[in-house]
Amino acid sequence: MTATESTKPARQKGFFGHPWGLATLFFTEMWERFSYYGMRVLLIFFLTASVAQGGLGMEKGLASSLVSAYGAAIYMSALAGGWIADRLLGGQRSVLYGGVLIMAGHICMAIPAGSTTIFLGLALVILGTSLLKPNISTLVGGLYPEHDARRDAGFTVFYMGVNLGSFAGITISGWLGQQVDFHLGFGAAAVGMALGLIQYVLGKGNLGVATAAPVNPLTADERGKVFGRIGAGLAALVLVIAIFWSMDMLDLQLVINGISLMSILLPIGYFAVLLRSPLVDDDERSRVKGYIPLFLASVMFFLIFEQAANVLNLYASEKVQNTVLGMEFPASWFQSVNPVFILLFAPLVAAIWMRMGERQPSTGRKFAIALVLIGASFGVIVLADATSAGGLVSPLWLLGVYAVQTLGELLLSPIGLSVTSKAAPKAFVSQMMALWFLSIAAGQGIAAQLVPLYGSVSDAVYFGMFAGAAVVLAVLLWISAPKIRVMMRGAE
């Protein structure tokens, strides 16, 4: 970026009445989601396919755990990426460097060289996503002047890019990977991210100055202390790895267990800091306490919802008919219906809330309904299993699962982001938003320990177990909703 470009404001009109920079970020996010979901939808199939079929031949339980742990690591890494943008790089460079790392990760996975390039690729994607994902939304907000009435509409347009990219990535990479070659599917993800980077670089001049520099850059004194601590932490990590390696104890399951443990301990630590901080007053502390049940509900929701990447993919491949009018399609294509359902259902849900106005349920009860829906989605599979007579089930059952899950997602995800921002203590606004994403990480971290049960117990037991747990928590949350509302003190 030239000096002139870095000091001029974002061009405020041109992309359907929005700043031109929104077009740059729309397509960057679209292609990044293309690459992320295109790779993710293939991951469980690749890990469990035999070497002769072009996969790694991994046992299904371990592979499912790895996919969940990978998802947990993605969301936990966003904490570091947000800090790096705020203190070191600024949002615009963070997105650029993140995209480069993501592309490099997918290129590694496209190379047919066994597990080494796959695990290196996953690590690079995690690092890259940590820089890109938490910061690109900040760039969208930075396009608009304060109190600009177009801001909400701009984020709606941006969110459409998320769904378009995920639909296209799942459809294209899923077909290439399952019907032609896994590494070709991973390569398509790399091409997608490359296209996103090209148009981001070409359009970066339209992003303006708001996010070009760190908002709270490290001072010279802070740099020395921070880099010293980071160096000491990395050295300690290398030492621990070396010790486990020398004792022949460093294996994939140990890494998965470590990620699961971290996904649980991080939010516990965050809540402890928030509740004990002298910067938090009594009203704010009460809101944080009222937020905890909502956080736990989110953990349960995503524990089930994110099993789409592993358990539901395996279920679709092994137990669901994948033909329409005599034409066969890849099992991975079932994943593409979620973004379609979001685009169909989101206006309907928004219209219902608008029509209900002040009569709509409290946040706690909306979350309770979302839990019932996510539990019911697994209940649909139990019902499908009971009526299958041991054969393949109709694809309509799985479409029903995703339709119910999408409705639950629309009741929980956007509302969760909103209530998180309102419940946040003034001194911890950014960290509170990070805490919301930790609920997704914790859900997947816990799932990493539970998904190996799939296949070792009956489908009725496995899916019924999660469905029952979600409904029980929903009932408790529904009963507790009035008390939560009092504790939140207007934050709802």
Side-chain angles (χ1 to χ4, degrees), residues 154-169:
F155 274 100
T156 300
V157 173
F158 177 73
Y159 194 59
M160 288 178 63
V162 173
N163 291 288
L164 289 173
S166 59
F167 174 81

Side-chain angles (χ1 to χ4, degrees), residues 63-143:
S64 291
S65 286
L66 176 59
V67 172
S68 289
Y70 164 72
I74 283 283
Y75 282 98
M76 284 191 291
S77 70
L79 299 175
W83 184 89
I84 290 171
D86 287 344
R87 307 302 307 271
L88 291 174
L89 298 178
Q92 294 184 23
R93 282 190 294 166
S94 293
V95 169
L96 176 62
Y97 297 160
V100 171
L101 287 171
I102 291 170
M103 181 182 67
H106 291 310
I107 290 173
C108 285
M109 298 181 74
I111 299 172
S115 61
T116 300
T117 52
I118 293 299
F119 293 143
L120 175 60
L122 290 176
L124 288 172
V125 171
I126 290 170
L127 291 174
T129 305
S130 76
L131 290 171
L132 188 148
K133 190 60 180 171
N135 293 309
I136 193 166
S137 297
T138 304
L139 267 62
V140 174
L143 296 173

Side-chain angles (χ1 to χ4, degrees), residues 50-382:
S50 68
V51 176
Q53 295 172 317
L56 291 186
M58 192 178 291
E59 187 268 326
K60 290 179 182 178
L62 180 61
S64 291
S65 286
L66 176 59
V67 172
S68 289
Y70 164 72
I74 283 283
Y75 282 98
M76 284 191 291
S77 70
L79 299 175
W83 184 89
I84 290 171
D86 287 344
R87 307 302 307 271
L88 291 174
L89 298 178
Q92 294 184 23
R93 282 190 294 166
S94 293
V95 169
L96 176 62
Y97 297 160
V100 171
L101 287 171
I102 291 170
M103 181 182 67
H106 291 310
I107 290 173
C108 285
M109 298 181 74
I111 299 172
S115 61
T116 300
T117 52
I118 293 299
F119 293 143
L120 175 60
L122 290 176
L124 288 172
V125 171
I126 290 170
L127 291 174
T129 305
S130 76
L131 290 171
L132 188 148
K133 190 60 180 171
N135 293 309
I136 193 166
S137 297
T138 304
L139 267 62
V140 174
L143 296 173
Y144 299 90
E146 191 175 0
H147 307 306
D148 192 320
R150 299 173 298 166
R151 182 186 297 265
D152 287 351
F155 274 100
T156 300
V157 173
F158 177 73
Y159 194 59
M160 288 178 63
V162 173
N163 291 288
L164 289 173
S166 59
F167 174 81
I170 290 168
T171 304
I172 296 173
S173 290
W175 185 85
L176 288 172
Q178 286 200 281
Q179 302 297 105
V180 184
D181 181 83
F182 286 116
H183 296 286
L184 189 60
F186 295 144
V191 171
M193 192 66 254
L195 292 173
L197 281 170
I198 290 170
Q199 67 83 40
Y200 179 77
V201 171
L202 293 176
K204 198 168 68 164
N206 294 318
L207 298 181
V209 68
T211 53
V215 294
N216 183 24
L218 292 173
T219 65
D221 290 340
E222 288 176 326
R223 281 178 176 270
K225 293 178 182 178
V226 168
F227 291 152
R229 290 171 183 170
I230 292 175
L234 290 175
L237 179 62
V238 170
L239 179 61
V240 170
I241 292 174
I243 291 172
F244 277 104
W245 184 280
S246 65
M247 298 172 65
D248 198 27
M249 294 175 60
L250 186 65
D251 61 12
L252 188 56
Q253 188 60 58
L254 181 66
V255 174
I256 292 171
N257 293 343
I259 292 174
S260 293
L261 181 62
M262 190 179 301
S263 73
I264 296 170
L265 294 180
L266 270 177
I268 291 175
Y270 259 81
F271 276 115
V273 169
L274 289 171
L275 292 172
R276 298 175 63 182
S277 173
L279 299 176
V280 177
D281 63 32
D282 289 341
D283 280 347
E284 291 174 332
R285 189 169 290 105
S286 177
R287 284 195 288 269
V288 171
K289 290 178 180 178
Y291 179 80
I292 291 175
L294 304 179
F295 179 90
L296 294 175
S298 179
V299 171
M300 172 60 77
F301 183 90
F302 287 106
L303 191 160
I304 296 175
F305 183 82
E306 292 294 341
Q307 290 188 45
N310 41 27
V311 170
L312 291 188
N313 257 339
L314 292 174
Y315 182 83
S317 177
E318 299 167 352
K319 301 181 180 180
V320 182
Q321 299 170 14
N322 63 334
T323 56
V324 173
L325 301 176
M327 298 177 62
E328 184 175 341
F329 59 89
S332 58
W333 277 12
F334 281 106
Q335 296 286 300
S336 67
V337 300
N338 173 257
V340 174
F341 282 145
I342 286 177
L343 293 173
L344 291 175
F345 295 161
L348 175 63
V349 172
I352 290 173
W353 296 145
M354 289 291 291
R355 187 173 183 82
M356 293 185 72
E358 296 296 325
R359 295 179 292 110
Q360 60 185 282
S362 66
T363 300
R365 289 188 168 169
K366 287 178 181 177
F367 272 43
I369 297 170
L371 284 177
V372 170
L373 288 171
I374 199 69
S377 72
F378 270 23
V380 170
I381 300 180
V382 174

